[in-house]
Amino acid sequence: MQTITVALDAMGGDFGPRVTVPAAVQALSHFPELKVILIGDRDLITSQLSRIGYIPNSRLSIKHSDRTISNTERPSQALRNSNGSSMKLAIDSVADESADACVSGGNTGALMALSRFRLKLLPGIERPALVSALPTANGNKTWMLDLGANVSCDADTLFQFAVMGSALAEQHLARTPKVAILNIGEEDIKGNDLVKRCSELLSETEAVDYVGYVEGDQLLHDSADVVVCDGFVGNVCLKTTEGVAHLFIDKLKSQLGSSGIKAWIARKLFGGLMDELKKLNPDQYNGASLLGLRGIVIKSHGSADVSAVVNAIGEAVHEVKRQVPSRISDRLEAVLLERHY
Amino acid sequence: MQTITVALDAMGGDFGPRVTVPAAVQALSHFPELKVILIGDRDLITSQLSRIGYIPNSRLSIKHSDRTISNTERPSQALRNSNGSSMKLAIDSVADESADACVSGGNTGALMALSRFRLKLLPGIERPALVSALPTANGNKTWMLDLGANVSCDADTLFQFAVMGSALAEQHLARTPKVAILNIGEEDIKGNDLVKRCSELLSETEAVDYVGYVEGDQLLHDSADVVVCDGFVGNVCLKTTEGVAHLFIDKLKSQLGSSGIKAWIARKLFGGLMDELKKLNPDQYNGASLLGLRGIVIKSHGSADVSAVVNAIGEAVHEVKRQVPSRISDRLEAVLLERHY
């Protein structure tokens, strides 16, 4: 069996080792091929390990770091001051090949800047993108990118996002994914110059199965497997989806959760529905990928709990197995060839 | 009592006179000061009126038009070919002051272009904006603009949206509204150049109560009374909200709506909750305003039903009563003075 080593930034995220350490231990039991390097304050990590009665062994090692990057640090500051930080050491371990992938719940801008600086971009890629899978009404997934790494994009960048997103989704779906552009109407005349130009580029390529525009209200209805947009729109859209989902779930919970006969009946009747609705909240899916790099970097939600961090580690394992960066690279090469001949 | 005359494009919207005619009749009984001019095919309108047994009188008149503007027509085509259409006649009646406001459920781009051409912009306004109220978790409203009239904006335009949205919301709230910019983070360093520059402009003015950035997941949580963004982002955000709300409501309905004892108990227990959730779907609120014009133009949803069109007429009545265009004009003048001294 191939061994897969994941470097986990143990200090990243709102809860640090209290969440990342038990998540690493759970992930080891989920994925028999996995090894984890926990990077962070050795004392804090050790005390969390002993709290859950786990003894470090050949599958779990600790790499000490006494520095963290705060959430308020700008990417440019992070680039200057990151040496020895848990996030930087996690990325370093991918660069020097002591790990196959890294996972961090820390500052997204810093993670993006450091990854780009240390791992470099794939040929043909101008900017890395943040991609994540949204749950759909029918129990499927839609991959959306960019989710906030690039606040403004040109049509070429959006085109590259489409190629990268398609290559990633294909490794999950095992079929050619349908790719759409997020727009404010389905007709050709709708939208801004960016989406119109990108639509032309996608119509001309054989590298992705482009199906046209999709609107915000169709996002969770399987109208496409991959949806591309600039990082500003993508981030607003993702957070809006999370916000509305939370609101509805909270309203329901307030009925199901209270005590008394009504709540008891409600739980009996709607326990299943509640579970189904919870699955429709995108923030249940953890593990956004930074695509376009010469290496695998997974961003975990800052507020992720133990099972969510296990999911993020799972995404890292999956991408290593399916060699996602080289799949993207192959696809980009095909596009370049197509343009030359 | 002041009489308020509203010109209603009877042919606009997916259902035409079948919906607009009964809506006009209902609105007349809701608003004692209201007069309606129904503009469209006289035969179709008359047959709908006789179907509901209503006899035209001094409060309801018909203006014949045998032309409509289709939903696929581009704004530029509409400008050339609109003469005699029901939408154009409705706008004309505001321009020649035979009506105080007009309401149409037709082609949004055409409505915007024709209104701008025929009614002209207020001084200090470069582009009109489409604004609507979103319901919030606590039963309040948040006005959001632009919702799709302007697919790309500069910081000055966004600033004007803030001033106009604030003037409109104040007429509903009877207090100074809190104004925010939709962004992908709450920290100052977040966002694209557009929002950063607009944030500077809003920080410098006394004309609006600017409270900073708001993220997508905070939209329905009363973090601001007015939220500004460009039309692309606003439209995606609104449609995403509607899409997620629909999805959750449909899932619930499928439990409440089925027959049998479970559904009966569910309806008894959760009828109220269902009503509450339905109110959180923004498309329950009909009547988006085109702001920045020298006249009142209300856009009704294409798919609006009778009570939704009544709401749109109600919004027109409210804006006439509160003289919204001149309130906006006053506010813009204050901004100009502020910049000069």
Side-chain angles (χ1 to χ4, degrees):
Chain A
M1 189 170 57
Q2 177 202 10
T3 302
I4 293 173
T5 305
V6 171
L8 177 61
D9 172 6
M11 312 309 284
D14 302 348
F15 312 109
R18 265 196 302 146
V19 158
T20 52
V21 171
V25 171
Q26 271 192 30
L28 287 171
S29 71
H30 278 35
F31 308 105
E33 67 277 59
L34 178 68
K35 286 187 173 186
V36 173
I37 309 170
L38 280 167
I39 303 178
D41 186 290
R42 186 181 299 274
D43 290 346
L44 289 176
I45 293 173
T46 310
S47 95
Q48 284 300 325
L49 283 170
S50 50
R51 199 179 57 84
I52 54 176
Y54 191 88
I55 296 153
N57 54 43
S58 66
R59 293 184 64 204
L60 185 147
S61 55
I62 301 171
K63 184 163 190 160
H64 179 71
S65 153
D66 50 16
R67 292 205 47 225
T68 56
I69 296 174
S70 83
N71 274 328
T72 55
E73 226 162 305
R74 289 165 190 259
S76 53
Q77 291 174 301
L79 276 175
R80 282 195 301 275
N81 310 324
S82 61
N83 277 342
S85 67
S86 57
M87 183 191 283
K88 177 76 179 334
L89 292 178
I91 297 167
D92 282 346
S93 62
V94 178
D96 66 21
E97 296 180 14
S98 56
D100 301 299
C102 68
V103 174
S104 174
N107 181 330
T108 309
L111 186 67
M112 178 69 67
L114 291 173
S115 302
R116 191 175 166 169
F117 171 73
R118 196 67 181 85
L119 300 175
K120 308 296 179 203
L121 295 173
L122 290 170
I125 291 296
E126 286 157 51
R127 297 158 85 169
L130 197 62
V131 59
S132 189
L134 275 68
T136 72
N138 306 319
N140 300 314
K141 290 179 181 179
T142 292
W143 282 263
M144 192 167 166
L145 71 167
D146 175 49
L147 294 177
N150 306 280
V151 291
S152 56
C153 299
D154 61 19
D156 271 325
T157 316
L158 225 54
F159 174 86
Q160 291 158 20
F161 293 172
V163 174
M164 294 196 292
S166 176
L168 174 68
E170 189 165 353
Q171 296 311 312
H172 282 272
L173 299 170
R175 61 169 171 80
T176 306
K178 293 185 190 311
V179 177
I181 301 175
L182 186 60
N183 198 357
I184 62 170
E186 286 171 26
E187 306 88 357
D188 280 347
I189 58 161
K190 291 289 175 70
N192 53 22
D193 291 343
L194 175 67
V195 300
K196 285 180 190 167
R197 179 75 192 114
C198 181
S199 180
E200 285 170 20
L201 293 174
L202 286 173
S203 302
E204 288 161 8
T205 185
E206 301 276 311
V208 301
D209 181 14
Y210 175 57
V211 297
Y213 297 137
V214 66
E215 292 190 73
D217 54 353
Q218 289 306 308
L219 261 184
L220 307 184
H221 288 89
D222 290 317
S223 40
D225 304 303
V226 177
V227 174
V228 296
C229 55
D230 75 51
F232 193 94
V233 172
N235 190 285
V236 165
C237 191
L238 178 69
K239 286 198 179 141
T240 302
T241 304
E242 289 175 358
V244 180
H246 267 298
L247 186 58
F248 275 74
I249 290 168
D250 287 350
K251 292 262 176 200
L252 258 170
K253 254 192 200 158
S254 68
Q255 299 258 352
L256 303 186
S258 54
S259 58
I261 184 75
K262 185 175 162 180
W264 184 84
I265 298 171
R267 273 194 299 275
K268 285 280 163 202
L269 283 175
F270 295 119
L273 174 69
M274 189 70 186
D275 289 342
E276 200 183 335
L277 293 180
K278 276 186 189 163
K279 282 186 196 142
L280 281 169
N281 185 355
D283 78 7
Q284 295 301 304
Y285 288 74
N286 191 29
S289 311
L290 262 66
L291 293 186
L293 300 164
R294 296 172 190 260
I296 296 166
V297 179
I298 306 296
K299 167 73 174 85
S300 170
H301 264 295
S303 61
D305 61 12
V306 172
S307 70
V309 175
V310 174
N311 284 344
I313 298 171
E315 178 63 29
V317 169
H318 179 85
E319 292 194 16
V320 174
K321 273 189 190 164
R322 307 304 305 232
Q323 303 177 29
V324 167
S326 65
R327 306 281 176 178
I328 292 175
S329 205
D330 293 348
R331 197 68 74 88
L332 289 165
E333 216 161 286
V335 172
L336 283 175
L337 279 171
E338 193 180 64
R339 287 186 178 180
H340 276 284
Y341 295 102
Chain B
M1 188 172 56
Q2 179 203 8
T3 302
I4 292 172
T5 306
V6 171
L8 176 61
D9 173 4
M11 313 308 285
D14 302 346
F15 313 109
R18 266 196 301 147
V19 158
T20 52
V21 171
V25 171
Q26 271 193 30
L28 288 170
S29 72
H30 278 36
F31 307 105
E33 67 277 61
L34 177 68
K35 286 188 173 184
V36 173
I37 310 170
L38 279 166
I39 303 178
D41 185 289
R42 186 181 297 274
D43 290 346
L44 289 175
I45 293 171
T46 311
S47 95
Q48 285 299 325
L49 283 170
S50 48
R51 200 179 56 84
I52 54 176
Y54 191 88
I55 297 153
N57 53 43
S58 66
R59 293 184 63 206
L60 185 146
S61 56
I62 302 171
K63 184 164 193 162
H64 180 70
S65 153
D66 49 17
R67 292 205 47 222
T68 56
I69 295 174
S70 82
N71 275 328
T72 54
E73 228 162 304
R74 289 164 189 258
S76 53
Q77 291 174 301
L79 277 175
R80 283 194 300 275
N81 310 324
S82 62
N83 276 341
S85 66
S86 56
M87 184 192 283
K88 176 77 179 334
L89 292 177
I91 297 166
D92 282 345
S93 61
V94 178
D96 67 20
E97 296 181 15
S98 56
D100 300 300
C102 68
V103 174
S104 174
N107 180 326
T108 310
L111 185 68
M112 178 69 67
L114 291 173
S115 302
R116 189 174 168 172
F117 171 72
R118 195 68 183 84
L119 299 174
K120 309 296 179 203
L121 296 172
L122 289 170
I125 291 296
E126 286 157 52
R127 298 158 85 169
L130 196 62
V131 59
S132 189
L134 275 67
T136 71
N138 306 319
N140 300 314
K141 289 179 182 179
T142 293
W143 282 264
M144 190 166 168
L145 72 167
D146 175 50
L147 294 177
N150 305 282
V151 290
S152 55
C153 300
D154 61 18
D156 270 326
T157 315
L158 225 55
F159 175 86
Q160 290 160 19
F161 293 171
V163 174
M164 295 197 291
S166 175
L168 174 68
E170 188 165 355
Q171 296 312 312
H172 283 271
L173 299 170
R175 60 170 171 78
T176 305
K178 293 185 192 307
V179 178
I181 300 174
L182 185 60
N183 198 357
I184 62 171
E186 285 171 26
E187 307 88 357
D188 280 347
I189 57 160
K190 290 288 175 74
N192 54 22
D193 292 343
L194 175 67
V195 301
K196 286 179 188 166
R197 178 73 193 116
C198 181
S199 180
E200 284 170 22
L201 292 173
L202 286 172
S203 302
E204 288 160 9
T205 185
E206 301 276 311
V208 301
D209 181 14
Y210 175 57
V211 296
Y213 297 136
V214 64
E215 292 189 73
D217 54 352
Q218 288 306 306
L219 262 184
L220 307 184
H221 288 90
D222 290 317
S223 40
D225 303 303
V226 177
V227 174
V228 296
C229 55
D230 75 49
F232 193 96
V233 172
N235 190 284
V236 165
C237 191
L238 178 69
K239 286 199 178 139
T240 301
T241 304
E242 289 175 359
V244 180
H246 267 296
L247 185 60
F248 275 72
I249 290 168
D250 287 349
K251 292 260 177 202
L252 257 170
K253 254 191 199 159
S254 68
Q255 302 256 354
L256 301 186
S258 54
S259 59
I261 185 75
K262 182 174 164 182
W264 184 83
I265 297 171
R267 272 194 299 275
K268 284 279 162 206
L269 286 176
F270 299 113
L273 174 68
M274 189 68 187
D275 290 342
E276 199 183 335
L277 292 179
K278 277 186 189 165
K279 281 186 196 140
L280 282 169
N281 185 355
D283 77 9
Q284 295 301 304
Y285 288 74
N286 192 28
S289 311
L290 263 66
L291 294 185
L293 301 164
R294 295 173 191 261
I296 295 166
V297 179
I298 305 294
K299 168 71 175 85
S300 168
H301 265 293
S303 61
D305 62 11
V306 172
S307 69
V309 175
V310 174
N311 284 344
I313 298 170
E315 177 64 28
V317 170
H318 179 86
E319 293 193 16
V320 175
K321 274 190 190 162
R322 308 304 304 231
Q323 304 175 32
V324 166
S326 67
R327 306 282 176 177
I328 292 175
S329 206
D330 293 350
R331 197 69 71 87
L332 289 165
E333 217 161 283
V335 172
L336 283 174
L337 279 171
E338 192 180 64
R339 288 187 179 179
H340 278 284
Y341 296 101

